[in-house]
Amino acid sequence: MDNRMKNRWRKGLVAVALLATLGVAARPGEAGEGSALIDRGNGIVEEVGGAGRMWQQERSGALHSLAEAEAYAKALTLGGYTDWRLPTTQELYDLYYLVDVKKAAGVALRLEGNYWATDPDGNGMAGSWEIGDQCEPSRSYFKKKWGYVRAVRP
């Protein structure tokens, strides 16, 4: 395995430092080694071999309030499903993890930017998992004022 590939692999495996107010362990949750993302071809990307979550493939436009983000997810009908919701910060991290460790071959996902999510207490917030500048590759969560929605189900 070359150094570039090792570094990409480490991005998903190294625990990241979080803001103290977030209180989420930043390591893969249910998105383990056997998990992968597949494109269902209907606007949905599905996690297989792990949590079994379904993700909205195309993100929303920029939304500037939690109320807008929640209303967007609640009104979303995609692939015949109407039970879409905002992801938790951990679920969003798991999505980044799968992309970082190349478990999303052939799946087109635009992950850069801020996304609306919920913290462990169910409070909504916008933020982003950003690659840190520490010696080891890692991601840290930073709160923001606005974001996109990438809805998840169940």
Side-chain angles (χ1 to χ4, degrees):
M1 187 180 317
D2 67 12
N3 283 339
R4 192 170 129 200
M5 188 167 214
K6 285 180 186 177
N7 285 337
R8 287 183 179 167
W9 183 75
R10 286 183 194 147
K11 286 179 189 177
L13 299 179
V14 176
V16 296
L18 296 176
L19 298 175
T21 58
L22 189 57
V24 173
R27 59 183 180 275
E30 297 180 54
E33 188 175 314
S35 297
L37 294 174
I38 59 170
D39 184 345
R40 288 290 180 203
N42 60 355
I44 296 173
V45 173
E46 186 174 357
E47 289 180 43
V48 294
R53 292 177 285 237
M54 293 182 179
W55 291 90
Q56 171 190 9
Q57 188 165 13
E58 294 295 326
R59 66 187 188 185
S60 71
L63 300 172
H64 297 277
S65 74
L66 176 60
E68 285 180 316
E70 289 175 328
Y72 174 89
K74 186 174 182 174
L76 184 63
T77 298
L78 189 59
Y81 298 100
T82 59
D83 58 346
W84 297 94
R85 61 177 173 78
L86 296 180
T88 65
T89 52
Q90 180 65 52
E91 288 170 328
L92 198 55
Y93 178 84
D94 286 350
L95 181 64
Y96 278 82
Y97 169 80
L98 290 172
V99 171
D100 284 347
V101 297
K102 304 297 182 205
K103 297 287 187 164
V107 175
L109 280 178
R110 188 171 174 194
L111 292 179
E112 68 276 355
N114 312 324
Y115 289 89
W116 288 97
T118 60
D119 69 13
D121 296 323
N123 302 311
M125 70 185 105
S128 64
W129 284 104
E130 298 177 13
I131 295 178
D133 60 356
Q134 298 80 12
C135 294
E136 292 288 329
S138 63
R139 286 194 181 269
S140 298
Y141 190 84
F142 295 95
K143 289 184 180 181
K144 307 292 181 166
K145 302 262 186 219
W146 64 273
Y148 305 104
V149 171
R150 183 167 316 274
V152 66
R153 66 168 301 277

